[in-house]
Every structure is written in structure tokens, then in C-alpha cells.
Amino acid sequence: MKVVLFCGGLGMRLREYAENVPKPMVPLGYRPIIWHLMKYYAHFGHRDFILCLGHRGDTIKEYFLNYEETVSNDFVLSEGGRKRELLNSDIHDWKITFVETGLNTNIGERLWAVRKHLTGEEMFLANYADGLTDLPLPAQIDDLNERGKLASFLCVKPNLSYHFVSSQNGIVTSFRDIAQSGLRVNGGFFVFRAGIFDYMRPRGTRRRAIPAPHGGE
């Protein structure tokens, strides 16, 4: 199953990290977030990726074009450093399609822009490319199939310490701890059927593209 990764947003919530580093490229250990996410999908057998590029897409291209396998793989160095023999490999069986989808494009428009790369796919996966999970992915896919629905996404309980406040006529009537409220947020792990495109149109036509759910890029 192909995997669409939305990695073109401005990443405003991580701007303090570095202005020139797109959110999916923020490092976790030796590798960026997007690599760890792709490893997650590859673990379940999904190794055909479509990257929806935008803000600093060049840095994502350069990272994979100059990918150094020795960073996270065992290898043998010989002949004074002139010869390197990899003992295992990370991405040798990955296929990655890089697509420029615009700087100020919303999620729906990015998905519409790569639809031709999904021709013939009955189902596909998608992700915001800025988070990780231990979700058993086959269970999410099976659940969508059993329900016969068009789309599925992971909902997660936010781990935050602030409160929701309700008021009337300028007077506070109640407040609730968000952690105890039972509310869930979009975790960004999607499963789609190809029929999702029947509900989408490019910007400017009668039916508008599906906007990004709150919490996207």
C-alpha cells in the first residue's frame, strides 16, 4: 500500500527550532522525524512513499539524495578508510516519489496534487509526517475494511496541563482540565480508500478540496 506524507507545511509550531529546517526534518537521534515515520510504515510492509513537498522541500530531497547508510547501520571499514562494506541497509527496498505541491497549499490540495501517483490503488495511507506512534497499523486497516467506510484516522488523548474555560456574559461558568475532559485530537495517521477523490476538486471549481483537519501542517 502506498504512503502519502504531507511534508510541505511551514511548521509554525516548531519555528523556534530552526527557520530553515522543515518540521519533518527535525532530528530524533541520528535521523529526522520523517525517517523514523517511514521506518514505521516499512516495518508493516509499506515501502512505496509519496512526499508532498513545499516549505524547504530542497532539504528533504538533499537528505535522501545524499543518504549516508553508515550513520545507522553496521559496516566494516578497511584499506585505511578507502573501502566500506555495509553489513545491513536501511532503505534499499524503499521507493520514494518527490512531488512539489506548493508552499501555501492545504492538506486536501496536496493530496489532490499527487492523485495521479495513486492511480490503481484501492486504498492508501497518509500522514502529517510530524509524529510517531506505536499503533498496530494492520488493526487500523482491518477496522476500516470491516466497517466498509471511506476513511479512518487515529484519535489521541492530548497530554496537556491547561484548562478549557466556559463563560457567559464575561463571567466564567466552568473550567475543565483537558486531560480529564475525554476530548481527542487528530493524531495524523490516515487510511483512505481511493473513493476519497470523488469528494475532492481542485481549488476554484464548484466543489472545494477537503481542508486540513485542525492540527495539520
Side-chain angles (χ1 to χ4, degrees):
M1 203 178 296
K2 293 188 177 183
V3 184
V4 177
L5 299 179
F6 305 114
C7 45
L10 295 176
M12 300 303 294
R13 286 169 294 189
L14 282 177
R15 274 299 177 89
E16 64 273 14
Y17 175 80
E19 182 73 22
N20 62 343
V21 178
K23 188 164 53 174
M25 294 302 294
V26 172
L28 292 177
Y30 294 124
R31 298 294 191 190
I33 293 174
I34 191 172
W35 178 88
H36 291 282
L37 181 63
M38 294 166 82
K39 286 284 286 185
Y40 165 81
Y41 283 111
H43 172 76
F44 292 108
H46 309 290
R47 303 181 179 93
D48 193 340
F49 302 97
I50 302 171
L51 306 190
C52 300
L53 305 176
H55 173 64
R56 293 313 311 267
D58 58 310
T59 63
I60 298 176
K61 291 178 180 178
E62 289 172 4
Y63 177 79
F64 286 105
L65 285 171
N66 302 298
Y67 189 76
E68 180 50 74
E69 295 235 60
T70 58
V71 171
S72 52
N73 289 289
D74 296 337
F75 64 98
V76 176
L77 188 68
S78 59
E79 298 180 8
R82 293 188 299 274
K83 181 179 178 180
R84 294 184 298 178
E85 178 187 356
L86 282 171
L87 299 181
N88 52 292
S89 177
D90 284 325
I91 66 172
H92 66 282
D93 56 353
W94 292 8
K95 178 181 177 182
I96 309 174
T97 302
F98 299 82
V99 183
E100 292 289 346
T101 57
L103 181 61
N104 298 308
T105 314
N106 69 31
I107 294 294
E109 291 165 340
R110 293 191 195 282
L111 182 56
W112 181 262
V114 300
R115 68 194 186 284
K116 65 180 180 181
H117 299 288
L118 294 164
T119 300
E121 295 292 305
E122 180 183 347
M123 297 177 67
F124 63 94
L125 308 169
N127 200 288
Y128 288 145
D130 63 356
L132 301 172
T133 185
D134 60 357
L135 168 74
L137 183 60
Q140 184 184 12
I141 297 171
D142 290 344
D143 182 70
L144 180 65
N145 281 326
E146 291 171 4
R147 294 174 185 271
K149 301 299 183 180
L150 189 66
S152 168
F153 69 91
L154 174 66
C155 295
V156 297
K157 185 176 181 179
N159 184 22
L160 301 171
S161 60
Y162 60 81
H163 296 81
F164 280 115
V165 177
S166 299
S167 65
Q168 186 174 3
N169 299 322
I171 299 175
V172 174
T173 57
S174 67
F175 65 92
R176 295 181 298 164
D177 188 316
I178 187 173
Q180 304 298 324
S181 67
L183 295 174
R184 296 292 186 270
V185 297
N186 182 359
F189 286 75
F190 298 90
V191 182
F192 290 121
R193 295 189 187 279
I196 193 72
F197 291 110
D198 295 337
Y199 295 86
M200 301 172 65
R201 293 292 184 275
R203 176 178 287 181
T205 57
R206 185 171 299 176
R207 185 181 295 173
R208 299 178 61 188
I210 296 174
H214 182 69
E217 294 183 335

